C-alpha cells in the first residue's frame, strides 16, 4: 500500500509541476514585472521519503538569465541586505505555485531605494518553492482518481525545491539580492529573491555559500568564501 500511494502521490505532484509551469509564466512572472529571471518547471520530479515530515519535490528549472558575477547581481537588485530569517511561511500562489514568505531581520543594508529597508528593521522577502500542504494533494488526488481508495493518513506535505535549492528557513543567515515584487500577494511591500535562487548567499559563522547548483557555482566568476570578501565586493563594485 505504501509503495502504491507514494507512486500516486508522485503523479499528483507531477501534475502540479506541469500546472506550475503553465501558470508560473502567465501569472507570477508577468504580474511581477521587476523579475528579470523566469523559471519554467519541467515534469522531471524527484521524491524521497527520508524526511518524516514531508516528501521532497525537486524541480528542474530553466533560467532566463544566468548571473555571472556580483556586479550583475548588484545592478539588477533593488535591495541588497544581510539578515536572519525570523519567520517563514509557505503559501500557494494562484492556488498551484508554492512560494515562501520570509520575514528577515536586517543586520546591514548595502543597497536600497526604500526608506523602509533600514538596518534594524524587518523586510518581507519571497522565495520560490515551499510546502505544498497534504490537504491540497488529497484534494487533487480525489479529483484525478475519484474511484480509487486511499488512506489520507498516508499523505505527507511536499516540500518543493528548485534545482536542489530550498527556500530560506527560520533562523538562517543570508546576504540577499532582491527585487520589489509587483504581483498580487497576500502581503504588502515584499521583495523577491533575484534570479530564482541566484541572489542568495548563506552565511554560517563567517563562511559564505552561494545558493546555486554546482554547475552554476563553477561558472560564477566571483569565488567568495567569506562574508568579508562578499561585502567588500558589493561595496567596491559600482
Amino acid at each position: 500500500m505504501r509503495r502504491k500511494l507514494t507512486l500516486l502521490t508522485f503523479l499528483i505532484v507531477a501534475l502540479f509541476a506541469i500546472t506550475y509551469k503553465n501558470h508560473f509564466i502567465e501569472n507570477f512572472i508577468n504580474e511581477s514585472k521587476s523579475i528579470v529571471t523566469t523559471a519554467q518547471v519541467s515534469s522531471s520530479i524527484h521524491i524521497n521519503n527520508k524526511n518524516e515530515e514531508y516528501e521532497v519535490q525537486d524541480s528542474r528549472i530553466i533560467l532566463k538569465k544566468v548571473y555571472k558575477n556580483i556586479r550583475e547581481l548588484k545592478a539588477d537588485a533593488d535591495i541588497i541586505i544581510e539578515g536572519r530569517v525570523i519567520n517563514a511561511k509557505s503559501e500557494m500562489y494562484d492556488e498551484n505555485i508554492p512560494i515562501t514568505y520570509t520575514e528577515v531581520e536586517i543586520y546591514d543594508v548595502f543597497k536600497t531605494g526604500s526608506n523602509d529597508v533600514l538596518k534594524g528593521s524587518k523586510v518581507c522577502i519571497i522565495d520560490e518553492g515551499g510546502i505544498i500542504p497534504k490537504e491540497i494533494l488529497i484534494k487533487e488526488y480525489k479529483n484525478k482518481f475519484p474511484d480509487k481508495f486511499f488512506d489520507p493518513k498516508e499523505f505527507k506535505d511536499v516540500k518543493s525545491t528548485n534545482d536542489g535549492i530550498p527556500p530560506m528557513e527560520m533562523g538562517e543567515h543570508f546576504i540577499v539580492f532582491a527585487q520589489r515584487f509587483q504581483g498580487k500577494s497576500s502581503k504588502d511591500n515584499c521583495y523577491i529573491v533575484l534570479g530564482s535562487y541566484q541572489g542568495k548567499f548563506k552565511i554560517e559563522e563567517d563562511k559564505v555559500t552561494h545558493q546555486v547548483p554546482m554547475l552554476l557555482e563553477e561558472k560564477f566568476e566571483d569565488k567568495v568564501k567569506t562574508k568579508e570578501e562578499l561585502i567588500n565586493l558589493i561595496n567596491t563594485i559600482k
Side-chain angles (χ1 to χ4, degrees), residues 29-171:
I29 296 299
N30 287 342
E31 290 177 357
S32 185
K33 299 184 186 304
S34 66
I35 303 173
V36 297
T37 300
T38 61
Q40 295 182 350
V41 180
S42 74
S43 58
S44 174
I45 305 295
H46 172 67
I47 289 189
N48 67 55
N49 297 306
K50 294 180 181 179
N51 191 297
E52 294 182 357
E53 297 179 2
Y54 48 72
E55 310 279 3
V56 175
Q57 165 196 319
D58 187 22
S59 302
R60 299 292 173 253
I61 66 175
I62 301 170
L63 299 169
K64 182 177 180 181
K65 180 171 183 177
V66 175
Y67 288 91
K68 300 176 183 177
N69 49 48
I70 299 298
R71 183 183 300 277
E72 291 185 353
L73 285 171
K74 183 176 180 179
D76 283 346
D78 291 325
I79 63 169
I80 306 172
I81 58 105
E82 177 190 349
R84 188 175 298 276
V85 179
I86 59 173
N87 195 15
K89 182 180 179 182
S90 294
E91 292 186 8
M92 300 303 291
Y93 183 89
D94 199 26
E95 297 185 355
N96 47 39
I97 302 168
I99 61 173
T100 299
Y101 289 98
T102 62
E103 184 179 14
V104 177
E105 183 179 4
I106 300 175
Y107 293 167
D108 210 345
V109 178
F110 309 106
K111 181 180 180 181
T112 182
S114 170
N115 293 330
D116 296 328
V117 180
L118 302 169
K119 185 176 179 178
S121 66
K122 300 177 181 64
V123 63
C124 167
I125 295 182
I126 297 173
D127 207 357
E128 294 176 23
I131 302 296
I132 303 174
K134 62 184 179 182
E135 291 78 13
I136 291 179
L137 297 175
I138 290 171
K139 180 180 177 180
E140 287 298 309
Y141 183 92
K142 289 179 179 178
N143 290 337
K144 303 298 180 184
F145 308 103
D147 299 326
K148 297 286 186 180
F149 171 79
F150 70 97
D151 182 356
K153 293 180 181 179
E154 295 293 330
F155 277 80
K156 293 181 180 180
D157 295 343
V158 169
K159 185 172 185 177
S160 174
T161 65
N162 290 331
D163 291 337
I165 309 300
M168 296 184 289
E169 297 183 350
M170 276 280 292

Side-chain angles (χ1 to χ4, degrees), residues 162-194:
N162 290 331
D163 291 337
I165 309 300
M168 296 184 289
E169 297 183 350
M170 276 280 292
E172 292 183 327
H173 184 184
F174 285 90
I175 288 178
V176 180
F177 297 70
Q179 288 188 324
R180 183 173 290 279
F181 182 70
Q182 297 178 0
K184 60 185 180 182
S185 170
S186 65
K187 300 182 185 295
D188 296 326
N189 300 321
C190 282
Y191 294 80
I192 186 165
V193 174
L194 186 61

